[in-house]
Amino acid sequence: MAQDDFDWKAFQKTLQYTDEELEIFRNDPKRAAAAKKMFSKEVLENDLVVEVTHSHGCSARLKPGDKLFFKALSLLDFERSTRNWCAHAMLPIPQLASMAQDRFVAGQHDTEMVYNHFTCGDCGVRAGGWGQVVMKAYLAKREPRKKGDEPAGSPSESAKG
């Protein structure tokens, strides 16, 4: 994407930056380049998925196969995600999202991250806790939405009006 192809005014409006803040952001070559990739159509076609692989003693009853889906690698998709996630299971997710975004910006769009397994914040009953959940994070291509399947208020829905 050429410098002039990126809509900096839309970016500024989305992040509610002042002109001064936008100038600071644009003058940082790493952040300016990252913005062009993180606000691209390509990133919108990818999800960060967090999937439970093992669970024992989880009071939230998380079980293998339960998943959280993050659109564009960071926006929780409530419609597709399993309900009733425990806050302790979500502790490492911001760091995983940052790692996935960093890899994406660097052009590493593979679906397998090297460090992709992690546990919830509970140490399990044998170590003085309640239970423990093991999860795996990975990238997945987003299934395209069918026409007319956009939620009300989404950018493509707003463009219709």
Side-chain angles (χ1 to χ4, degrees):
M1 171 182 297
Q3 177 80 9
D4 299 328
D5 290 344
F6 189 71
D7 189 346
W8 284 106
K9 285 293 182 193
F11 178 82
Q12 180 180 21
K13 184 178 178 184
T14 298
L15 275 68
Q16 299 178 352
Y17 281 172
T18 64
D19 290 341
E20 179 186 9
E21 290 169 327
L22 180 64
E23 184 177 343
I24 291 167
F25 190 97
R26 287 185 71 175
N27 285 332
D28 180 335
K30 283 186 179 179
R31 287 192 289 175
K36 293 174 186 179
K37 292 180 181 179
M38 290 306 300
F39 281 77
S40 69
K41 182 180 177 188
E42 188 177 15
V43 79
L44 295 173
E45 296 170 348
N46 287 275
D47 290 326
L48 171 64
V49 182
V50 174
E51 181 176 353
V52 174
T53 60
H54 299 85
S55 179
H56 180 72
C58 176
S59 61
R61 297 183 180 160
L62 288 174
K63 61 189 179 310
D66 286 347
K67 296 178 185 176
L68 288 176
F69 291 88
F70 294 88
K71 301 179 283 192
L73 311 181
S74 65
L75 305 170
L76 182 58
D77 185 338
F78 290 102
E79 293 176 15
R80 296 188 306 145
S81 296
T82 307
R83 302 284 188 238
N84 299 324
W85 276 68
C86 173
H88 299 283
M90 299 178 88
L91 289 172
I93 294 174
Q95 290 84 6
L96 287 161
S98 291
M99 182 172 58
Q101 291 169 344
D102 189 72
R103 289 173 59 91
F104 188 88
V105 167
Q108 299 172 336
H109 302 192
D110 54 352
T111 59
E112 287 291 327
M113 293 184 278
V114 175
Y115 303 105
N116 61 356
H117 281 79
F118 58 98
T119 64
C120 70
D122 195 328
C123 58
V125 68
R126 295 183 189 276
W130 286 59
Q132 191 172 45
V133 176
V134 178
M135 293 155 278
K136 178 181 180 178
Y138 54 92
L139 302 183
K141 281 289 187 190
R142 184 168 182 73
E143 292 293 324
R145 284 190 177 263
K146 297 177 184 140
K147 190 171 176 106
D149 204 17
E150 289 292 324
S154 69
S156 58
E157 182 71 20
S158 304
K160 293 179 189 174

